[in-house]
């Protein structure tokens, strides 16, 4: 038996909206530690890793590990039937082929119950090695979203070069109408951590990425006020949105390599 | 020009 009760349906809506365009179906892995998910996009260029720790739910019950194959787009549609502040309860029997979703209004005067069919999904689990990154940049998530959008829509760029030095982080593109760059400098004061740009750097690093994936990752912006970019030479970028202390959505993106 | 890398080249299937 699996049961997980989440105080606000809104969180699950935001998570699904953040990942459903990149991966349309995935296995939710349920264990005593919580709910996790890993999936690559069909071109094997990017990967989503989700963790919702059990302590983010109250209660959380998992008698045995379960793998729930879910169509994320269908689940996102179903979650739209919940109001943002509805209490979400997910339940599944062991060996069940359905996931039950229950939405309860805060005043407890409305209860919606849905049964979602599960599917068998063959998915490879990728082992992601522990990496000491050359540079870790933390910035406001809205700023990252804005930069990706402006460089894509404004210049029509396909590839973005991200260069990180002690002075700042520079995003450059060359596109159909010309070229452009946006540089963020490290902020002096850290009175408001969520609004700060902080660069932790062991050595300067420059990498090239497909901009459209970064724009897709930015759909996770509502999940967190800040985002971190972890970069090392010739290894995948990690874009992480932390959900308070109860979990994260991480996106991995393979770099473009100079011929 | 730059070639798009794939994650399979960086991560191992477990």
């Amino acid at each position: 038996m699996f049961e997980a009760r989440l105080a606000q349906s809104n969180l699950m809506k935001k998570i699904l909206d953040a990942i459903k365009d990149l991966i349309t179906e995935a296995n939710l892995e349920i264990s005593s530690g919580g709910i996790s998910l890993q999936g690559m996009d069909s071109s094997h260029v990017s990967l989503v890793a989700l963790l919702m720790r059990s302590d983010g739910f109250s209660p959380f019950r998992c008698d045995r590990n379960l793998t729930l194959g879910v169509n994320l787009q269908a689940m996102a549609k179903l979650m739209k039937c919940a109001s943002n502040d509805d209490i979400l309860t997910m339940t599944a029997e062991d060996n069940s082929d359905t996931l039950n979703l229950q939405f309860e209004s805060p005043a407890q005067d409305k209860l919606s119950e849905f049964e979602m069919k599960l599917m068998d999904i063959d998915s490879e689990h990728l082992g992601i090695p522990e990496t000491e990154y050359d540079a870790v940049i933390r910035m406001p998530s809205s700023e990252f979203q804005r930069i990706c959008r402006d460089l894509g829509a404004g210049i029509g760029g396909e590839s973005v070069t991200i260069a990180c030095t002690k002075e700042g982080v520079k995003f450059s593109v060359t596109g159909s109408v010309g070229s452009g760059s946006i540089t963020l400098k490290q902020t002096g004061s850290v009175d408001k951590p969520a609004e700060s740009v902080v660069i932790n750097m062991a050595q300067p690093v420059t990498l090239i990425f497909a901009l459209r994936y970064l724009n897709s990752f930015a759909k996770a912006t509502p999940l967190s006020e800040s985002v971190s970019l972890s970069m090392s030479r010739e290894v995948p970028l990690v874009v992480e949105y932390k959900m308070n202390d109860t979990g994260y959505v991480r996106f991995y993106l393979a770099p473009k390599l100079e011929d | 020009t730059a070639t798009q890398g794939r994650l399979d080249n960086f991560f191992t299937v477990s």
Side-chain angles (χ1 to χ4, degrees):
Chain A
M1 172 78 187
F2 158 62
E3 179 181 3
R5 190 167 178 268
L6 191 62
Q8 295 233 313
S9 294
N10 200 19
L11 177 62
M12 185 58 84
K13 289 185 182 198
K14 289 178 187 172
I15 290 172
L16 291 167
D17 285 341
I19 66 177
K20 71 179 168 47
D21 294 331
L22 219 52
I23 47 171
T24 53
E25 47 194 47
N27 285 321
L28 291 178
E29 304 289 348
I30 315 291
S31 69
S32 55
I35 300 173
S36 65
L37 169 159
Q38 194 199 77
M40 273 198 288
D41 76 288
S42 55
S43 57
H44 289 206
V45 169
S46 69
L47 178 141
V48 179
L50 162 72
L51 176 65
M52 302 174 80
R53 289 191 196 92
S54 54
D55 57 9
F57 299 91
S58 181
F60 185 91
R61 177 183 164 193
C62 169
D63 299 337
R64 65 175 66 182
N65 291 359
L66 293 178
T67 298
L68 307 178
V70 168
N71 180 318
L72 297 172
Q73 308 223 341
M75 188 170 175
K77 271 187 198 161
L78 244 172
M79 284 304 304
K80 294 218 189 303
C81 304
S83 298
N84 286 345
D85 57 355
D86 278 357
I87 300 159
L88 164 67
T89 306
M90 295 178 282
T91 52
E93 300 293 332
D94 297 346
N95 304 317
S96 171
D97 57 1
T98 57
L99 172 67
N100 300 306
L101 300 171
Q102 181 184 303
F103 313 136
E104 190 180 359
S105 65
Q108 298 182 319
D109 53 2
K110 181 179 174 187
L111 181 70
S112 314
E113 293 176 289
F114 296 93
E115 238 183 42
M116 188 176 70
K117 286 182 201 157
L118 297 173
M119 46 203 299
D120 282 325
I121 299 171
D122 263 341
S123 80
E124 295 171 332
H125 192 86
L126 288 182
I128 301 168
E130 284 289 320
T131 306
E132 287 286 331
Y133 288 95
D134 291 340
V136 178
I137 305 141
R138 206 185 70 229
M139 68 174 79
S141 59
S142 55
E143 189 66 74
F144 177 66
Q145 181 181 45
R146 179 80 200 263
I147 290 170
C148 295
R149 194 185 64 202
D150 289 351
L151 292 178
I155 288 291
E158 285 182 12
S159 297
V160 59
T161 302
I162 306 179
C164 184
T165 63
K166 268 206 184 88
E167 286 73 46
V169 54
K170 183 176 184 180
F171 300 80
S172 333
V173 298
T174 301
S176 49
V177 300
S179 61
S181 71
I182 298 171
T183 304
L184 286 185
K185 291 182 180 166
Q186 180 153 228
T187 30
S189 77
V190 284
D191 296 345
K192 295 177 179 171
E195 295 172 19
S196 306
V197 176
V198 179
I199 298 172
N200 283 307
M201 198 190 75
Q203 58 179 319
V205 56
T206 299
L207 288 167
I208 307 170
F209 299 102
L211 188 54
R212 67 185 179 91
Y213 286 96
L214 298 184
N215 267 309
S216 183
F217 302 166
K219 289 177 183 164
T221 303
L223 281 172
S224 179
E225 285 186 315
S226 64
V227 62
S228 70
L229 311 183
S230 301
M231 306 205 300
S232 277
R233 199 167 167 266
E234 295 192 356
V235 304
L237 165 77
V238 189
V239 179
E240 182 183 59
Y241 295 85
K242 278 201 165 78
M243 303 181 285
N244 296 324
D245 290 323
T246 61
Y248 56 76
V249 173
R250 284 182 193 150
F251 299 98
Y252 294 81
L253 177 60
K256 290 190 168 190
L257 302 172
E258 302 263 22
D259 294 328
Chain B
T1 57
T3 308
Q4 177 62 62
R6 285 165 57 97
L7 288 178
D8 317 54
N9 302 331
F10 299 98
F11 300 152
T12 50
V13 178
S14 56

